[in-house]
Amino acid sequence: MAPAEILSGKVVSGQVRDRLKQQVVEMTEKFPGFRPGLAILQVGNRDDSNLYINMKLKAAAEIGISANHIKLPNTATESDVLKCIASLNADPAVHGFIVQLPLDSDKPINTEKITNAVAPEKDVDGLSSINAGKLSRGDLGDCFIPCTPKGCMELIRQTGVQVAGKRAVVIGRSKIVGAPMHDLLLWNNATVTTCHSKTSTLAEEVGKADILVVAAGRAEMVKGEWIKPGAIVIDCGINHVPDSTKASGKRVVGDVAYTSAKEKASFITPVPGGVGPMTVAMLMQSTVESAQRFLEKFQPGKWTIQYNHLTLKMPVPSDIEISQSCMPKPIDQVAKEVGLFPDEVELYGQTKAKVQLSVLNRLKNQPDGKYVVVTGITPTPLGEGKSTTTVGLVQALGAHLHQNVFACVRQPSQGPTFGIKGGAAGGGYCQVVPMEEFNLHLTGDIHAITAANNLVAAAIDARIFHELTQSDQALYNRLVPSVNGVRKFSDIQIRRLQKLGINKTDPMALTKEEVNSFVRLDIDPGTITWQRVLDTNDRFLRKITIGQSPTEKGFTRTAQFDITVSSEIMAVLALADGLDDMKKRFGRMVVASSKKGQPVTADDLGVTGALAVLMKDAVKPNLMQTLEGTPVFVHAGPFANIAHGNSSVLADKIALKLVGKDGFVVTEAGFGADIGMEKFFNIKCRYSGLRPHVVVLVATVRALKMHGGGPAVTAGVPLPREYTEENLQLVAKGCSNLNKQIQNARMFGVPVVVAVNAFKTDTKAELALVVQHAKEAGAFDAVECTHWAEGGKGALALARAVQRASQAPSNFRFLYNVELPVVDKIRLIAQQVYGARDIELLPEAQEKVALYTKQGFGNLPICMAKTHLSLSHDPEQKGAPTNFVLPIRDIRASVGAGFLYPLVGTMSTMPGLPTRPCFYDIDLDPVSGGVNGLF
């Protein structure tokens, strides 16, 4: 018989590495920026462990695997090791993770506890009980196999001999080699016998083996004469025996007497150079396999989502009853379903979470989904259900049509929540849940804005006070104090010096004139535009006097409180595209002018960095869900009549990446299309660079009857009978407003789908009439919707219409070029969107146009602050008024946010409470302790 063919682990492992290298290249080409990641955790500093780890790191580098060696000292405790493992388990960049054994620690450590702490899906060593259990059960495709047995099987495959039906003998029963080798051969359909050092008939059993795997740890224990002729022999042993011919005085041998065995076997592995190189290669292969599983599981745009089934009731219960009857999914489950990694999510309890902005960088090469904006006709004071329609549409697209879809909505202010409007979570069977969490504090973003805004306000008045009461040198000594004999400018002070044209960094080098310029902002109190804010409707704070305490030395001035959501900081949050951008916008915010007419900014006040610190968590979008389990981002909440009225750019951008190219992101613009939608297009889309695919325009029979000449609609007062009885004439006449708002949307080059939000008092004839008018006015489609009572099922027709419209040609364009003069931009909006004949600038507005143009702010977009109850400035003018002159009484600048906002008519930035506020109906449930009442 010819001597055995040598199974060279060096050759085979080289082939494996070449194959893996190509697979990694293909991965990185398909997913740019991605690399398989391997972490090796070592405790202590054993020489042999260092040698093995260096071999693994070298192999990883050769293949293209990103390998990370974490080394803990030999003083590390079991707790230290477990904490490190938990961190690596949660790291999405780590796909394979091994703990180098033995653990070289001075402290007692339970090795089994440590190996079982490694996440099974990352346990590329296959040592955890879960992976071992799966292997013993035969789940080979759903587990990791220890690297040495896996390498042995690869060597056996190289022989070309079929394992199935062969008799295999494994000598050794260790958890690392023997036991898993037995299972691996068994589930490859061999008949397997496990032997060990205590087996009395060892030679006899070896003689029966077609395949012999030896891992006993005893030098040359298996003799050549025991081996069955033609057997395959895999020797896993590494033993040192004395050898005087070697410089070291010893040589390495296996568990098999190699010289005699190769005369009997058909194939045999040498020692060294046999199984050893395969172990490292198989570790690399398992790491690549783990990375492939990870990509399959977390492939952007590939969602596996569990939807909630609604149990509909008639009559429809109150919103809070419906919300509290729903059992939301754990929010970490929602995050996982939409492809977010654990380290990208910060949990705020069980039902809400913040999402890290790093997800944008991870998904930067992924295509965006379809972008849909929901707006409406000019509403009644009751609102026409845009939020409800937004939620209904995403529930229909997601839970019923199984499309990837995200809703992006604003966080409501507590002012209206406790005032006249109530909450903004949607309504009926179309809500963001839990609605009490949504409507109240959420994750504290509005509170952070309140704190940041009022810090600026405090800094303004404090700076004026200190400049009035101190000399230049006293101010300088306090602004640039000596600390341990050293004076140093802060970074923000360096920026102020550069703004002043002073290119010095040594505080001692400034001249008296330079010190004067540096320390004196010289704010003109009459030009202060920055107000304090509060997230409560409080009409008695609309005009106040501050500084009346004797400690303020007679410095008093008239000021006011605005509601928090009208703060420029809220607008900055909504328009920023990252933390750095937000910080830069904060620095640019103009709070007043100096007595020389120069703009004074937050950066001049030195407060920019502090604002960024206060807002560092608020900049992260909040993740919630709808009643039917579709994901929702709730982020930012600028008022639409005072500010630009849209949720954050960041939430939209993240959502568009998560849904993938075939998915949908549905966002809502505040109030009617003339306000929120116009600002969405001309401000939000201008800054974000995003381009919408579809406009959904919400209309109701109730609002159209009002526009057709129906009686006034008042919150808290029963509707007149004109609204509860069929009146086709009123509906037809009121469609003038619908027609105009359709034209407004089409003016921007985007297809319009009209959603007719049906109420129980509407008749079929009235609803059909609205649909007909909408189509005749140029809508891509118009459909009746019953989602309030039926959830996503009631918005299926709308969802299908939106799908079709998203495939239609879209030629998005802005209404105006920002380089136009301020007055021309205002006139274009007034004439093209509102239907005005012209505009009239009152003296104060004329002065502001001149001032802002001189200060370099004339090329900012325009954010009109006007009533939402009419296309005109007069809330009593319904329908589609024309031939009116729009009065502009003042213009203010939100330079950090990036727009000028003309004040049209009389607009209050602090709402008041009605006679009977919503808070009359809100309380704690005496039994459950939860929120009870109406939102």
Side-chain angles (χ1 to χ4, degrees), residues 463 467 472 475-476 479-480 489-505 510 513-523 587 591-596 598-608:
R463 188 58 177 262
E467 288 187 26
D472 288 357
L475 283 168
Y476 193 58
L479 287 169
V480 193
F489 291 122
S490 66
D491 290 343
I492 202 165
Q493 289 175 327
I494 293 289
R495 290 204 298 271
R496 171 150 175 78
L497 289 168
Q498 291 171 344
K499 179 179 177 180
L500 293 169
I502 303 171
N503 297 312
K504 296 178 180 179
T505 57
L510 269 64
E513 292 75 15
E514 289 170 340
V515 167
N516 175 269
S517 297
F518 174 73
V519 301
R520 298 211 174 268
L521 301 180
D522 205 20
I523 294 171
V591 300
S593 294
S594 71
K595 291 173 183 175
K596 293 181 180 178
Q598 295 301 310
V600 177
T601 67
D603 227 34
D604 293 327
L605 287 168
V607 75
T608 306

Side-chain angles (χ1 to χ4, degrees), residues 460-466 468-469 523 525 528 545-557:
I460 294 168
D461 289 307
R463 188 58 177 262
I464 293 173
F465 173 79
H466 291 306
L468 285 172
T469 57
I523 294 171
I528 296 172
T545 302
I546 62 172
Q548 294 191 21
S549 169
T551 55
E552 277 32 89
K553 302 181 180 180
F555 172 62
T556 64
R557 69 180 181 90

Side-chain angles (χ1 to χ4, degrees), residues 253-310:
V253 298
D255 290 354
V256 177
Y258 179 77
T259 303
S260 58
K262 72 177 182 179
E263 300 301 323
K264 298 284 292 287
S266 59
F267 296 90
I268 192 169
T269 59
V271 177
V275 173
M278 293 300 297
T279 300
V280 176
M282 291 302 102
L283 175 63
M284 299 301 121
Q285 181 169 307
S286 291
T287 301
V288 172
E289 287 172 359
S290 182
Q292 289 169 333
R293 292 179 192 177
F294 174 85
L295 287 174
E296 179 66 23
K297 187 175 181 181
F298 290 100
Q299 190 171 333
K302 184 177 180 180
W303 292 6
T304 302
I305 190 165
Q306 172 190 323
Y307 297 107
N308 297 332
H309 176 73
L310 294 178

Side-chain angles (χ1 to χ4, degrees), residues 240-528:
H240 293 90
V241 297
D243 188 339
S244 58
T245 65
K246 301 292 183 183
S248 63
K250 57 186 178 181
R251 61 187 171 89
V252 176
V253 298
D255 290 354
V256 177
Y258 179 77
T259 303
S260 58
K262 72 177 182 179
E263 300 301 323
K264 298 284 292 287
S266 59
F267 296 90
I268 192 169
T269 59
V271 177
V275 173
M278 293 300 297
T279 300
V280 176
M282 291 302 102
L283 175 63
M284 299 301 121
Q285 181 169 307
S286 291
T287 301
V288 172
E289 287 172 359
S290 182
Q292 289 169 333
R293 292 179 192 177
F294 174 85
L295 287 174
E296 179 66 23
K297 187 175 181 181
F298 290 100
Q299 190 171 333
K302 184 177 180 180
W303 292 6
T304 302
I305 190 165
Q306 172 190 323
Y307 297 107
N308 297 332
H309 176 73
L310 294 178
T311 302
L312 304 177
K313 293 182 180 180
M314 290 298 290
V316 176
S318 70
D319 290 348
I320 197 161
E321 285 181 78
I322 294 172
S323 175
Q324 293 181 344
S325 69
C326 164
M327 180 61 71
K329 295 179 288 187
I331 201 64
D332 57 342
Q333 178 185 331
V334 176
K336 186 175 182 180
E337 287 175 343
V338 302
L340 290 166
F341 297 162
D343 71 333
E344 293 171 340
V345 180
E346 297 175 8
L347 301 180
Y348 280 64
Q350 292 294 309
T351 56
K352 53 192 177 181
K354 279 197 166 292
V355 174
Q356 296 276 7
L357 304 187
S358 59
V359 67
L360 273 175
N361 186 58
R362 174 170 67 87
L363 298 176
K364 63 185 177 183
N365 295 308
Q366 300 305 317
D368 289 344
K370 301 290 194 301
Y371 198 25
V372 180
V373 60
V374 177
T375 185
I377 64 171
T378 304
T380 69
L382 305 178
E384 308 317 304
K386 288 195 314 300
S387 298
T388 305
T389 302
T390 299
V391 176
L393 174 56
V394 297
Q395 289 182 168
L397 284 166
H400 297 268
L401 297 181
H402 301 103
Q403 300 290 304
N404 291 355
V405 62
F406 241 105
C408 292
V409 299
R410 290 177 293 165
Q411 178 183 355
S413 163
Q414 287 180 185
T417 296
F418 289 112
I420 193 169
K421 184 176 182 290
Y429 287 103
C430 297
Q431 296 185 51
V432 180
V433 291
M435 63 107 76
E436 58 267 42
E437 297 280 351
F438 175 90
N439 283 314
L440 297 176
H441 306 285
L442 196 58
T443 56
D445 293 352
I446 290 182
H447 301 317
I449 292 165
T450 302
N453 182 99
N454 292 343
L455 180 62
V456 177
I460 294 168
D461 289 307
R463 188 58 177 262
I464 293 173
F465 173 79
H466 291 306
E467 288 187 26
L468 285 172
T469 57
Q470 297 180 52
S471 67
D472 288 357
Q473 193 58 48
L475 283 168
Y476 193 58
N477 289 342
R478 287 173 172 82
L479 287 169
V480 193
S482 174
V483 179
N484 296 324
V486 178
R487 302 181 80 171
K488 184 179 179 182
F489 291 122
S490 66
D491 290 343
I492 202 165
Q493 289 175 327
I494 293 289
R495 290 204 298 271
R496 171 150 175 78
L497 289 168
Q498 291 171 344
K499 179 179 177 180
L500 293 169
I502 303 171
N503 297 312
K504 296 178 180 179
T505 57
D506 181 3
M508 304 304 293
L510 269 64
T511 66
K512 286 186 177 181
E513 292 75 15
E514 289 170 340
V515 167
N516 175 269
S517 297
F518 174 73
V519 301
R520 298 211 174 268
L521 301 180
D522 205 20
I523 294 171
D524 179 355
T527 66
I528 296 172

Side-chain angles (χ1 to χ4, degrees), residues 815-833:
L815 178 63
Y816 55 81
N817 186 322
V818 290
E819 301 298 328
L820 288 174
V822 172
V823 174
D824 290 354
K825 288 182 284 192
I826 297 172
R827 182 177 287 112
L828 271 171
I829 295 171
Q831 292 177 335
Q832 297 295 317
V833 180

Side-chain angles (χ1 to χ4, degrees), residues 630-653:
T630 58
V632 180
F633 275 139
V634 186
H635 199 216
F639 265 15
N641 51 358
I642 300 166
H644 71 287
N646 285 268
S647 60
S648 78
V649 166
L650 281 168
D652 290 359
K653 284 189 170 183

Side-chain angles (χ1 to χ4, degrees), residues 761-931:
T761 54
D762 301 339
T763 68
K764 289 189 177 297
E766 289 173 330
L767 294 167
L769 182 62
V770 179
V771 168
Q772 177 189 337
H773 269 276
K775 291 179 178 179
E776 291 172 354
F780 178 89
D781 202 352
V783 294
E784 177 187 338
C785 302
T786 55
H787 45 274
W788 179 81
E790 298 183 291
K793 177 184 173 184
L796 273 170
L798 174 63
R800 292 190 175 105
V802 166
Q803 283 182 305
R804 293 192 302 273
S806 71
Q807 302 300 322
S810 178
N811 184 28
F812 175 72
R813 54 190 174 270
F814 298 119
L815 178 63
Y816 55 81
N817 186 322
V818 290
E819 301 298 328
L820 288 174
V822 172
V823 174
D824 290 354
K825 288 182 284 192
I826 297 172
R827 182 177 287 112
L828 271 171
I829 295 171
Q831 292 177 335
Q832 297 295 317
V833 180
Y834 306 156
R837 184 178 80 249
D838 204 350
I839 61 173
E840 177 189 11
L841 268 68
L842 301 184
E844 195 169 356
Q846 293 177 22
E847 292 173 7
K848 292 294 180 61
V849 168
L851 174 66
Y852 293 142
T853 302
K854 178 183 176 183
Q855 291 180 338
F857 307 138
N859 61 350
L860 292 176
I862 300 299
C863 181
M864 301 289 278
K866 81 169 189 74
T867 179
H868 62 288
L869 297 174
S870 172
L871 281 162
S872 75
H873 57 285
D874 181 0
E876 301 304 317
Q877 288 194 34
K878 304 302 181 183
T882 57
N883 204 35
F884 61 91
V885 175
L886 192 76
I888 310 297
R889 66 177 175 86
D890 195 5
I891 301 175
R892 295 178 186 169
S894 287
V895 179
F899 53 74
L900 301 178
Y901 60 103
L903 303 181
V904 181
T906 55
M907 289 294 303
S908 173
T909 50
M910 171 56 82
L913 289 173
T915 305
R916 191 184 192 284
C918 292
F919 59 64
Y920 274 75
D921 300 306
I922 299 172
D923 201 348
L924 291 176
D925 188 285
V927 178
S928 69
V931 177

